[in-house]
Amino acid sequence: MTNRQLDFENIHRVENLTYEPLEKKYIKVQVVITILVYICMMLLALLLLLKEGLPYRTLIVAGLEGLLLCAAIVNLLLLPKAYACKGFAFREHDITYRSGLFFPTVVTIPLCKVQQVSIQQHPVSKLLELYSVSIVNGAQFEAETVIPGLTKERANVMKTIIMEYIQHGKI
């Protein structure tokens, strides 16, 4: 084992990685989930109409519904930009996942620290045949990183590569 000094000019930096985008169908998953969440919140706001003795309840509910509708429209308009910020990069010894429009997050997981890897689906992504790879590691504060919006083949290949690295210590 060596302990050489590193030259910061020649290091491959995470900021310079070429990220692979998620599947285009993943935007549809995000749109459906966003619409369902806002519909549920709007239905809950309607329950205020049942509250007896609340002055101006019709006005309050109308204002709340209008506010939720505006928030939903803004959220739906920002989804394509948020999608463009998401991606992952596989390197020889780690995997990096990037997300976040306003608060960008880059998580790099050393493959030698991965404890578990699994493939998941939730009901909306199942309709569009998309999968997520969940990576549990012991190296970071966030114990689980989920990379969503993958085809079945891509998710299986990713899981296989990580499992081979765990078993053999190399790709």
Side-chain angles (χ1 to χ4, degrees):
M1 185 165 135
T2 64
N3 193 12
R4 296 176 297 156
Q5 185 172 353
L6 298 176
D7 180 15
F8 286 108
E9 299 298 322
N10 295 326
I11 294 177
H12 297 289
R13 309 214 21 111
V14 172
E15 296 87 21
N16 299 332
L17 287 177
T18 302
Y19 291 94
E20 293 187 43
L22 305 178
E23 292 295 318
K24 297 255 186 231
K25 292 190 291 186
Y26 185 64
I27 293 177
K28 293 177 185 176
V29 171
Q30 289 183 310
V31 167
V32 169
I33 290 173
T34 301
I35 289 172
L36 289 174
V37 166
Y38 277 102
I39 287 173
C40 289
M41 287 193 299
M42 292 173 105
L43 290 173
L44 286 173
L46 288 175
L47 292 176
L48 287 174
L49 291 175
L50 300 176
K51 175 72 174 151
E52 293 293 327
L54 181 66
Y56 307 110
R57 69 176 177 227
T58 307
L59 188 62
I60 292 171
V61 169
L64 192 56
E65 294 289 340
L67 186 66
L68 286 170
L69 182 62
C70 289
I73 291 170
V74 169
N75 198 334
L76 289 171
L77 290 174
L78 289 176
L79 279 179
K81 292 180 185 194
Y83 166 80
C85 294
K86 294 181 184 213
F88 66 93
F90 232 113
R91 295 193 296 178
E92 190 176 352
H93 300 289
D94 60 32
I95 184 167
T96 301
Y97 177 65
R98 161 187 86 175
S99 65
L101 179 61
F102 297 115
F103 304 104
T105 304
V106 177
V107 177
T108 300
I109 304 163
L111 294 176
C112 63
K113 299 294 182 181
V114 173
Q115 295 176 347
Q116 178 182 345
V117 60
S118 60
I119 297 175
Q120 304 172 340
Q121 262 187 323
H122 57 74
V124 178
S125 64
K126 191 171 191 169
L127 292 174
L128 295 170
E129 297 177 358
L130 291 176
Y131 296 80
S132 299
V133 172
S134 174
I135 303 168
V136 178
N137 68 84
Q140 297 176 340
F141 178 70
E142 291 183 31
E144 182 179 30
T145 301
V146 178
I147 301 174
L150 303 170
T151 61
K152 185 175 185 176
E153 297 81 31
R154 195 179 230 185
N156 282 328
V157 166
M158 191 179 290
K159 179 181 176 183
T160 302
I161 291 171
I162 294 171
M163 293 303 294
E164 285 177 5
Y165 190 93
I166 292 171
Q167 292 172 354
H168 303 294
K170 60 183 174 182
I171 294 179

